Amino acid sequence: KGSVIDSSQLKLQGGSLHSVFKGVVLAAFAFGGFESAASLGFEAKEPRRQVPQAVLGSVLLVGAFFTFNAYGQTLGFEGHAVLANSSAPLGDMAGYAHLSGFKPIVDVCVLLSTWSCLLANFNHGSRMLFTMGRDRVVTGAFGKTHPRHNTPHAALGVFAAIWSVWLILIVATAGSV
């Protein structure tokens, strides 16, 4: 495309306060994921120092990564289809750049990224259920660890089952909404 400087993006051309407010809703939900790092604070050596560092550091790092990617994808779609209408924007950009051979690699990377997000969710959810079981908020069986591996296997199994049902419902109803 030539230059990586996109003056229309840098000037926030086409942006509005209404659009910012719509984005704030998404950002509020995203911060829930960062807050989950605090649930592992009791495992840190110096939790009063390390947990805030971890939460703030992850917000800054992921925020910079998101900004970089949003800028690049918006620039990559310039003159092509609308970014919002693309079901696979990174693969489409590879095609626009005449690098269609990278589409399978991009798809595998997106799959691995999605898998890691799901694993992080399982880690947080099962540990939360484990803590609730240990504190007797729910049945104490969830507060026990595996005798050999010392993992919260019961809490993880129940949380994985709940998420599996949830994902099946999402996939089953995806076309009807």
Side-chain angles (χ1 to χ4, degrees):
K1 294 200 130 317
S3 176
V4 295
I5 306 298
D6 185 358
S7 61
S8 64
Q9 280 192 73
L10 295 176
K11 293 177 185 174
L12 302 177
Q13 185 176 0
S16 69
L17 193 57
H18 178 70
S19 299
V20 171
F21 285 139
K22 285 172 36 179
V24 167
V25 173
L26 178 63
F29 284 115
F31 275 105
F34 293 111
E35 185 276 333
S36 69
S39 69
L40 304 175
F42 67 89
E43 298 178 6
K45 290 181 182 177
E46 298 177 54
R48 291 189 185 272
R49 184 177 66 81
Q50 292 174 340
V51 170
Q53 285 178 341
V55 172
L56 182 62
S58 61
V59 167
L60 293 174
L61 184 64
V62 171
F65 181 71
F66 175 79
T67 302
F68 174 77
N69 278 295
Y71 181 86
Q73 287 183 33
T74 303
L75 183 64
F77 268 77
E78 190 175 307
H80 297 286
V82 177
L83 176 60
N85 295 337
S86 174
S87 61
L90 296 176
D92 290 346
M93 280 181 27
Y96 298 151
H98 307 291
L99 299 170
S100 296
F102 280 104
K103 279 185 174 185
I105 296 168
V106 168
D107 289 343
V108 167
C109 290
V110 169
L111 177 70
L112 290 174
S113 175
T114 304
W115 178 252
S116 2
C117 289
L118 186 62
L119 284 180
N121 201 349
F122 278 8
N123 183 40
H124 170 65
S126 65
R127 287 182 177 269
M128 189 68 72
L129 191 56
F130 169 71
T131 301
M132 290 170 65
R134 203 178 54 206
D135 293 343
R136 303 281 183 194
V137 174
V138 295
T139 180
F142 296 139
K144 297 187 186 315
T145 58
H146 190 275
R148 182 170 168 213
H149 302 292
N150 204 27
T151 57
H153 66 290
L156 182 58
V158 169
F159 193 78
I162 292 168
W163 259 99
S164 296
V165 168
W166 177 248
L167 290 174
I168 288 169
L169 286 172
I170 289 173
V171 170
T173 61
S176 65
V177 177

